Amino acid sequence: MEQVSELIAGREYKCALVRLWHLAGQAVAGGGTRLDQWFESGRNELATQRIEEYFLFGQPSIGLTDLRARPTDVIRCLDQRLAEERKKSVRSATFEVDRQRCFLVPCSPHGGFEQQQPVRFAAYMRHHRIIADPLLPGVRAVIRDLAGFPALQQELQVIAEDPRQALVVGLGLFNDGHRPEGDCRPVDDDRQTVFFRGTSGDAERLASAREQIDAAEAAGVEVLLFPELTLSPANQQALADELLQRWQRGRACRIPLLILGSFHCQDADFDCRRNRAQLLWGRDGSTLATHDKLSPATLGGLTESFTPGNAALFLSTAIGNLSLAVCKDIIDDYADLWLKKLGPDWLLVASLSDSAREHVAFSREIWNRHRCVSIVANQPLAAQPPVASDGSTSGPVYGYIRMAELMERDPTRNPWVCEVPLRSP
């Protein structure tokens, strides 16, 4: 606490907030954490008043006695002061506390239970989030913003300030019966591994993707997402090249954010194979960020063959914080990356599955916890969604958007377009 007091006196508010976060999580004898003790410390109205007046007027200084009496008030006031200072900035800050790297990132207050429970740090720090790195053993945090893309930043700021306070989302789909194709290798009598190189109808898929992008642009879509393993690397490159050519001809695509699903590819940096999703700037096809699927899935008797990803993305933008995921990422042991570590405002998921039940269950949980909107573009493998003996289906297998309620994609509309409310700042 002495160090926190010195940091506040020196106006190093970000460092002080991160230090308090570190202290709050420390275990105490007998069970629980320091945060539990701080919550049980009881009211001290004089200490609260002095703390609030310090951050409002700068005088008098906060004494160590007041800091120890009401550390949760100090957290709350630091968070509010930093939010007022940064105004519209979405830049993160990096710190190291006891050899632990962490990021202080901006966020918006929300009504999720993480900010409603008084024994959670987020209940007092509502305008920021602290992300420790690594997130899990072998998985690092990739914290980014759009400082390198000022025109896109401005484009998203215009959306954020628009009176309609909504984001127009489009989900792509391919009702053509084509399937991914690739190189198979037997593992035993019942199983094979596969590295997909394309689909059974790449030319038809490319033409369909062009049509869907054009239709989405005409409908005013601002985020367009395609499913997993539907557009081959060659098709994705062709579409990105066409976006660049349109921009060069003065007819730039008006869709700010575009995810062409994910597909198996060669990672030149590490000389390995990945299942990679790319977030593109629709204006010129520039790659803004990537996400590599974290573990292979089994599709019937075929198990994907690629090197698992080692990072998870957190992208700060004017419309909120975004993360990417690929199908199985959100329904296995890695789900906690987004549920407990990152807590984004938007989770964009490219998926290939005949069942979406587990995806929907996760999406409900992350909404309840963080008010995170899940946008899932799913491509079923089966020609018709499977139906159980009791008549139930496997969930919204053509994709969905999950916020307060589940909005199931209509497969007869391609792309499917939906307005999603933005979170109030």
Side-chain angles (χ1 to χ4, degrees):
M1 281 296 190
E2 291 83 354
Q3 186 179 18
V4 172
S5 181
E6 292 172 2
L7 290 169
I8 292 173
R11 301 294 195 270
E12 296 184 55
Y13 295 146
K14 292 180 181 179
C15 294
L17 186 56
V18 172
R19 173 58 66 174
L20 280 167
W21 167 80
H22 179 72
L23 292 173
Q26 291 181 346
V28 297
T33 64
R34 285 202 184 191
L35 183 59
D36 294 301
Q37 290 185 335
W38 296 347
F39 173 67
E40 294 287 348
S41 63
R43 297 175 62 181
N44 186 324
E45 293 182 1
L46 283 176
T48 298
Q49 181 180 345
R50 285 192 290 264
I51 291 166
E52 290 177 347
E53 287 180 349
Y54 171 80
F55 285 104
L56 282 173
F57 310 115
Q59 294 294 333
S61 62
I62 300 176
L64 194 54
T65 301
D66 290 340
L67 178 57
R68 285 174 171 157
R70 295 296 299 166
T72 53
D73 286 334
V74 177
I75 296 166
R76 175 175 53 82
C77 290
L78 280 169
D79 174 61
Q80 184 65 42
R81 176 65 177 267
L82 290 171
E84 292 169 356
E85 288 180 353
R86 68 176 166 85
K87 299 187 184 302
K88 295 179 181 179
S89 172
V90 293
R91 301 300 300 272
S92 63
T94 308
F95 299 89
E96 187 168 315
V97 183
D98 293 349
R99 292 181 291 181
Q100 168 76 67
R101 187 169 73 146
C102 55
F103 301 91
L104 179 67
V105 298
C107 68
S108 299
H110 58 76
F113 76 76
E114 183 189 57
Q115 290 191 352
Q116 299 299 315
Q117 297 294 321
V119 288
R120 294 178 182 272
F121 200 85
Y124 310 103
M125 186 181 67
R126 293 170 175 252
H127 299 86
H128 297 84
R129 185 170 188 83
I130 296 174
I131 298 173
D133 187 44
L135 300 166
L136 294 174
V139 182
R140 59 189 175 85
V142 176
I143 311 297
R144 291 187 180 169
D145 55 46
L146 296 174
F149 299 87
L152 176 58
Q153 274 188 315
Q154 181 59 35
E155 202 172 346
L156 297 180
Q157 189 66 48
V158 169
I159 294 171
E161 295 175 355
D162 192 295
R164 64 189 169 91
Q165 284 294 287
L167 186 69
V168 184
V169 175
L171 297 184
L173 183 70
F174 298 95
N175 295 311
D176 52 20
H178 293 303
R179 298 168 66 90
E181 294 182 334
D183 304 328
C184 297
R185 183 175 64 84
V187 176
D188 53 37
D189 291 341
D190 301 318
R191 294 179 300 157
Q192 299 183 77
T193 61
V194 60
F195 179 77
F196 293 117
R197 298 188 179 278
T199 69
S200 57
D202 266 8
E204 187 177 344
R205 282 279 170 92
L206 180 58
S208 177
R210 288 186 182 121
E211 292 174 359
Q212 293 184 57
I213 290 172
D214 289 345
E217 185 180 6
V221 166
E222 293 155 337
V223 176
L224 178 60
L225 174 62
F226 285 95
E228 177 189 19
L229 294 175
T230 54
L231 291 168
S232 66
N235 277 352
Q236 291 190 31
Q237 188 60 57
L239 291 167
D241 290 344
E242 290 170 10
L243 292 171
L244 176 59
Q245 291 162 11
R246 284 187 55 180
W247 174 70
Q248 291 171 335
R249 292 195 299 266
R251 297 191 298 105
C253 177
R254 297 187 304 277
I255 302 172
L257 300 176
L258 179 61
I259 304 95
L260 298 175
S262 76
F263 216 91
H264 294 180
C265 64
Q266 193 71 29
D267 185 338
D269 293 336
F270 293 93
D271 191 25
C272 64
R273 295 169 166 179
R274 304 285 194 190
N275 184 339
R276 175 166 292 175
Q278 296 187 83
L279 176 63
L280 305 182
W281 185 8
R283 187 180 79 160
D284 63 5
S286 300
T287 299
L288 303 171
T290 63
H291 172 77
D292 294 329
K293 191 174 182 179
L294 296 165
S295 63
T298 297
L299 314 168
L302 297 176
T303 298
E304 293 178 279
S305 175
F306 62 80
T307 300
N310 61 357
L313 172 72
F314 186 96
L315 179 66
S316 294
T317 80
I319 58 171
N321 299 314
L322 312 180
S323 283
L324 305 180
V326 177
C327 196
K328 185 171 176 278
D329 289 340
I330 65 170
I331 61 175
D332 63 10
D333 294 342
Y334 291 104
D336 279 353
L337 288 172
W338 297 277
L339 193 62
K340 296 181 179 179
K341 307 291 185 178
L342 294 176
D345 302 318
W346 306 89
L347 182 58
L348 312 179
V349 185
S351 178
L352 180 85
S353 178
D354 283 332
S355 174
R357 285 176 176 168
E358 292 183 74
H359 302 69
V360 170
F362 167 86
S363 296
R364 178 179 181 274
E365 190 172 0
I366 198 170
W367 169 263
N368 288 340
R369 190 181 185 108
H370 302 290
R371 293 298 187 259
C372 171
V373 178
S374 297
I375 301 172
V376 180
N378 186 67
Q379 180 84 16
L381 281 167
Q384 295 293 329
V387 178
S389 57
D390 62 0
S392 64
T393 65
S394 298
V397 295
Y398 297 107
Y400 63 88
I401 296 173
R402 179 57 159 91
M403 36 188 178
E405 301 293 335
L406 179 69
M407 303 178 68
E408 186 170 349
R409 187 202 199 286
D410 179 354
T412 66
R413 295 161 56 194
N414 214 13
W416 179 65
V417 178
C418 178
E419 276 200 357
V420 182
L422 290 171
R423 180 183 294 176
S424 300

